[in-house]
Amino acid sequence: MHALIVIAHPDPQSLTHAVAGQVARGIEASRSGHTFEIADLSAEGFDPRFNAGDVAQFRGQAGPPADVLAEHARLDRTDDLVLVYPVYWWSFPGLLKGWIDRVFVNGWAYRDVPGAKLEKLLGRLRVHLVAVGGADMRTYEKHGYTAAMKTGIDHGIFGYCGAPVVTSQLLLPQDGTFPDAHFETARSLGQRLFSAPGTDA
């Protein structure tokens, strides 16, 4: 089986990159023969802006732009999608949201035909969310941010496409610091990535 680890942070020395690296180490440590690749959206220069080509695709006037087709090909060979990202304003950073906007399109991620029932096309793709936040859990719970993120991301995006969210981790500081235990959590996720319920590994 194959995983795609998507990173959305401009600094290669960031906690986000370090956490993603631990997920990758966990997959390697599983010694199961499974594979992974890393999509560092910032380093690759992915353009998150919804452009004229994307509008034409949305209107059914053209196929997806070439860079979107390349992402589809990468995802089509993926069994498990791992998104590792910092929390910006209680959601995805713009780079990752733009990747979702442009890549998870009608006709590939779902099929919405007027007068017909919505068809969810990504039931084969298992999703794992690893968010790195700066506020403490009390703040997230007090203001309802955790529930809002789950509604908007887990249900609103991946549920709409039929892709099950198998893992959802929110890694937050404790006593003002980022604990080493979070790196172990990420490494453990990688080790058991393909052995969670719903796989045939």
Side-chain angles (χ1 to χ4, degrees), residues 4-201:
L4 178 64
I5 303 172
V6 177
I7 307 171
H9 197 292
D11 182 1
Q13 303 303 315
S14 67
L15 280 172
T16 299
H17 280 79
V19 167
Q22 291 302 315
V23 175
R25 283 186 60 188
I27 296 173
E28 291 173 334
S30 68
R31 297 187 180 136
S32 55
H34 299 308
T35 58
F36 70 90
E37 60 185 303
I38 293 177
D40 185 337
L41 298 181
S42 183
E44 293 176 2
F46 181 81
D47 187 351
R49 296 172 298 178
F50 203 80
N51 59 46
D54 299 306
V55 172
Q57 188 279 331
F58 178 76
R59 292 175 175 168
Q61 299 166 346
D67 59 343
V68 172
L69 286 174
E71 297 304 306
H72 288 172
R74 198 149 58 170
L75 285 160
D76 284 340
R77 60 178 178 262
T78 296
D79 300 292
D80 285 59
L81 172 64
V82 185
L83 302 182
V84 187
Y85 57 94
V87 177
Y88 289 176
W89 290 110
W90 319 110
S91 188
F92 287 149
L95 177 60
L96 184 54
K97 180 59 166 59
W99 185 76
I100 295 288
D101 290 345
R102 297 191 62 217
V103 173
F104 285 63
V105 295
N106 190 8
W108 181 81
Y110 62 93
R111 186 171 289 112
D112 187 11
V113 178
K117 183 178 179 182
L118 177 73
E119 187 178 355
K120 303 180 179 190
L121 302 178
L122 293 185
R124 60 169 185 79
L125 184 68
R126 292 156 34 93
V127 177
H128 307 266
L129 304 172
V130 185
V132 180
D136 58 27
M137 184 56 76
R138 181 175 177 275
T139 301
Y140 277 85
E141 296 298 340
K142 177 181 178 182
H143 298 291
Y145 296 132
T146 307
M149 289 171 64
K150 188 173 184 64
T151 298
I153 297 172
D154 299 36
H155 176 72
I157 297 173
F158 298 110
Y160 192 84
C161 303
V165 175
V166 178
T167 307
S168 187
Q169 296 282 348
L170 182 56
L171 305 180
L172 303 176
Q174 296 174 8
D175 299 323
T177 62
F178 192 81
D180 288 343
H182 287 344
F183 295 118
E184 178 55 38
T185 296
R187 190 162 52 252
S188 176
L189 168 63
Q191 286 180 308
R192 56 184 169 77
L193 195 68
F194 302 108
S195 61
T199 67
D200 53 10

